[in-house]
Amino acid sequence: EPTDRTELMKVSAQFADDILIMGSGEGVRSSDQQIISTLLALGALPGVSKLHGDVFAEIQTNQSVTVAKTILPAVEGIVARYAVNRVLVLRALVSSIGFTYLELVSFRRGNDVYIKKVPSRLVGVAFRDVWELFEESVVIGVLPLCVGALSPEITCD
């Protein structure tokens, strides 16, 4: 039972490199409630001020992502159903674009996609000039300044 703190202690959840919490599929509200209960149990593990690894949770609504972040700041809430449906449609209609999205969101080859705040000197620089500045990364897009509010690390000033 993932909402039982004792069970989480038995498997040393606090020391896991990655924790993936999947929704129950029993409806939006029920699924998100189960995820929130599991996050509460993770946050209540004794002697744990910070989890060792990353926590990913499949959440059904954006409102629940906010609640999840409040309970356990380390969690990355993924509203997956909408994204998965879009990838499936793209795979069917425009297979090359669908394949690219599938590769971007797959962890099979170590692919990770992050939204990162950049130094202020890069604000307003065109995408064609930005990608050359990141030698260890592949830049796949640039968000306008205020769209950054979609990510908790970035705020619109």
Side-chain angles (χ1 to χ4, degrees), residues 62-126:
N62 288 325
Q63 294 84 1
S64 295
V65 172
T66 304
V67 172
K69 278 280 195 197
T70 303
I71 293 169
L72 197 64
V75 74
E76 288 296 326
I78 302 169
V79 185
R81 304 251 184 236
Y82 178 73
V84 168
N85 288 341
R86 289 187 66 174
V87 169
L88 289 174
V89 169
L90 281 170
R91 283 283 290 162
L93 298 177
V94 187
S95 61
S96 60
I97 293 174
F99 177 77
T100 303
Y101 276 121
L102 193 58
E103 286 297 307
L104 283 173
V105 298
S106 171
F107 295 109
R108 289 182 307 189
R109 294 188 182 103
N111 300 331
D112 294 320
V113 177
Y114 300 100
I115 297 175
K116 294 288 185 181
K117 190 171 186 174
V118 297
S120 58
R121 65 184 173 84
L122 293 178
V123 173
V125 176

Side-chain angles (χ1 to χ4, degrees), residues 1-156:
E1 174 64 30
T3 60
D4 184 347
R5 186 176 78 151
T6 305
E7 294 296 320
L8 292 173
M9 287 173 18
K10 285 181 187 177
V11 297
S12 300
Q14 66 270 33
F15 301 113
D17 287 336
D18 294 304
I19 298 174
L20 178 60
I21 307 168
M22 301 300 293
S24 65
E26 297 175 1
V28 172
R29 182 177 295 231
S30 177
S31 182
D32 281 0
Q33 287 173 344
Q34 180 186 10
I35 298 293
I36 299 299
S37 296
T38 302
L39 293 173
L40 285 167
L42 280 170
L45 291 173
V48 175
S49 59
K50 184 177 179 213
L51 293 172
H52 175 72
D54 295 319
V55 180
F56 301 97
E58 178 194 21
I59 297 177
Q60 302 295 320
T61 65
N62 288 325
Q63 294 84 1
S64 295
V65 172
T66 304
V67 172
K69 278 280 195 197
T70 303
I71 293 169
L72 197 64
V75 74
E76 288 296 326
I78 302 169
V79 185
R81 304 251 184 236
Y82 178 73
V84 168
N85 288 341
R86 289 187 66 174
V87 169
L88 289 174
V89 169
L90 281 170
R91 283 283 290 162
L93 298 177
V94 187
S95 61
S96 60
I97 293 174
F99 177 77
T100 303
Y101 276 121
L102 193 58
E103 286 297 307
L104 283 173
V105 298
S106 171
F107 295 109
R108 289 182 307 189
R109 294 188 182 103
N111 300 331
D112 294 320
V113 177
Y114 300 100
I115 297 175
K116 294 288 185 181
K117 190 171 186 174
V118 297
S120 58
R121 65 184 173 84
L122 293 178
V123 173
V125 176
F127 177 74
R128 68 179 171 271
D129 300 323
V130 170
W131 69 270
E132 297 173 321
L133 303 173
F134 293 87
E135 295 176 12
E136 300 292 321
S137 304
V138 175
V139 180
I140 59 171
V142 177
L143 293 173
L145 184 60
C146 232
V147 176
L150 298 173
S151 173
E153 297 97 32
I154 303 171
T155 57
C156 293

